[in-house]
């Protein structure tokens, strides 16, 4: 009798068909975004962030946007990467605000020893020396600041003020111009440069 054989063949064929229909589809089981996954972008380094901000500061036509870039630069300069140095810097700024320049110098001396590559340590100490009218030490610290960060418009502006006070008009003008090349929106520096330019023109 062939009936059992026929039934067996039909059963097997149905089973095979069921397996074919339920076999997993690779295209359906793959993660939907697997083919479109983009590589992660590494966060920008501090130097790259500064470069971007300086580019914006110089090229930005909108005053508010330029001010935000300047604020961003100042914020990055203050970040030392050391909790101890950041704490000392905070104390030194408080001492400067209270005109306790001796105490401010104590903190800043420690900062420059602990982290000699920290730009703002030298710049703030130069500022304190300037307030004490110790111009030679102030200039020395400004020079150290500019070695670490040639674009430090605050240090360049301060150097111009000191040189102007010492009667070094030409050198003061050069310092002012360098500051404006970095940050064209330094209104007080521009006024000082224009004043010196007129004075030197009258002397010719």
């Amino acid at each position: 009798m062939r009936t059992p054989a026929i039934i067996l063949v039909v059963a097997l064929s149905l089973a095979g068909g069921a397996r074919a229909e339920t076999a997993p589809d690779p295209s359906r089981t793959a993660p939907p975004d697997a083919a479109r996954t983009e590589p992660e972008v590494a966060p920008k380094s501090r130097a790259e962030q500064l470069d971007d901000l300086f580019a914006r500061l110089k090229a930005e036509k909108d005053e508010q946007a330029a001010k935000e870039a300047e604020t961003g630069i100042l914020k990055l300069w203050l970040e030392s990467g050391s909790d101890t140095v950041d704490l000392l810097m905070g104390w030194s700024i408080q001492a400067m605000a209270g005109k306790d320049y001796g105490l401010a110098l104590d903190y800043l001396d420690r900062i420059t020893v602990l982290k000699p590559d920290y730009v703002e340590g030298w710049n703030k100490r130069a500022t304190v020396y300037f307030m004490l009218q110790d111009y030679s030490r102030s200039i020395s610290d400004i020079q150290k600041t500019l070695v670490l960060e040639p674009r430090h418009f605050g240090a360049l502006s301060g150097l111009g003020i000191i040189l102007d006070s010492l009667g070094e008009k030409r050198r003061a003008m050069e310092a002012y111009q360098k500051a404006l090349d970095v940050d064209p929106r330094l209104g007080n520096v521009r006024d000082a440069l224009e004043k010196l330019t007129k004075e030197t023109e009258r002397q010719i």
Side-chain angles (χ1 to χ4, degrees):
M1 296 177 61
R2 296 181 181 178
T3 301
I6 293 171
I7 294 172
L8 179 61
V9 170
V10 172
L12 289 173
S13 65
L14 288 173
R19 285 196 297 270
E21 289 177 358
T22 57
D25 183 350
S27 64
R28 292 183 181 180
T29 57
D33 296 330
R36 295 177 295 179
T37 302
E38 297 181 359
E40 293 185 5
V41 178
K44 290 186 177 182
S45 67
R46 184 173 180 276
E48 290 172 331
Q49 292 179 58
L50 281 170
D51 288 343
D52 288 348
L53 288 168
F54 274 114
R56 284 177 52 198
L57 182 62
K58 190 169 184 177
E60 188 61 66
K61 297 186 189 304
D62 181 75
E63 290 292 331
Q64 182 60 35
K67 188 64 179 176
E68 289 173 0
E70 183 182 277
T71 301
I73 290 169
L74 295 173
K75 182 180 177 181
L76 281 175
W77 277 342
L78 273 176
E79 295 175 359
S80 70
S82 163
D83 291 340
T84 300
V85 171
D86 287 345
L87 185 62
L88 288 169
M89 177 57 76
W91 290 343
S92 70
I93 291 173
Q94 290 179 4
M96 290 169 66
K99 297 185 179 181
D100 191 344
Y101 299 127
L103 181 59
L105 281 178
D106 287 342
Y107 294 137
L108 291 165
D109 287 344
R110 292 169 65 184
I111 287 172
T112 55
V113 170
L114 286 171
K115 199 168 182 62
D117 61 343
Y118 178 40
V119 175
E120 208 54 28
W122 299 105
N123 180 60
K124 285 290 189 289
R125 198 171 74 169
T127 302
V128 173
Y129 281 135
F130 172 78
M131 300 305 294
L132 294 171
Q133 297 186 337
D134 191 341
Y135 295 149
S136 62
R137 288 184 177 176
S138 184
I139 289 175
S140 177
D141 280 357
I142 287 174
Q143 290 172 339
K144 290 171 183 173
T145 301
L146 294 175
V147 166
L148 293 169
E149 177 52 271
R151 302 168 296 186
H152 202 299
F153 47 82
L156 289 166
S157 302
L159 179 60
I161 293 171
I162 293 174
L163 293 172
D164 191 0
S165 300
L166 296 174
E168 298 282 346
K169 306 298 182 183
R170 294 287 183 183
R171 292 176 62 198
M173 291 169 63
E174 291 175 3
Y176 286 146
Q177 187 58 62
K178 287 180 180 178
L180 289 170
D181 288 342
V182 177
D183 185 354
R185 290 173 174 79
L186 297 172
N188 292 338
V189 175
R190 187 171 298 282
D191 292 343
L193 178 58
E194 291 176 356
K195 177 175 175 290
L196 282 179
T197 301
K198 290 177 182 178
E199 289 179 1
T200 53
E201 286 175 351
R202 284 198 297 267
Q203 294 172 2
I204 296 176

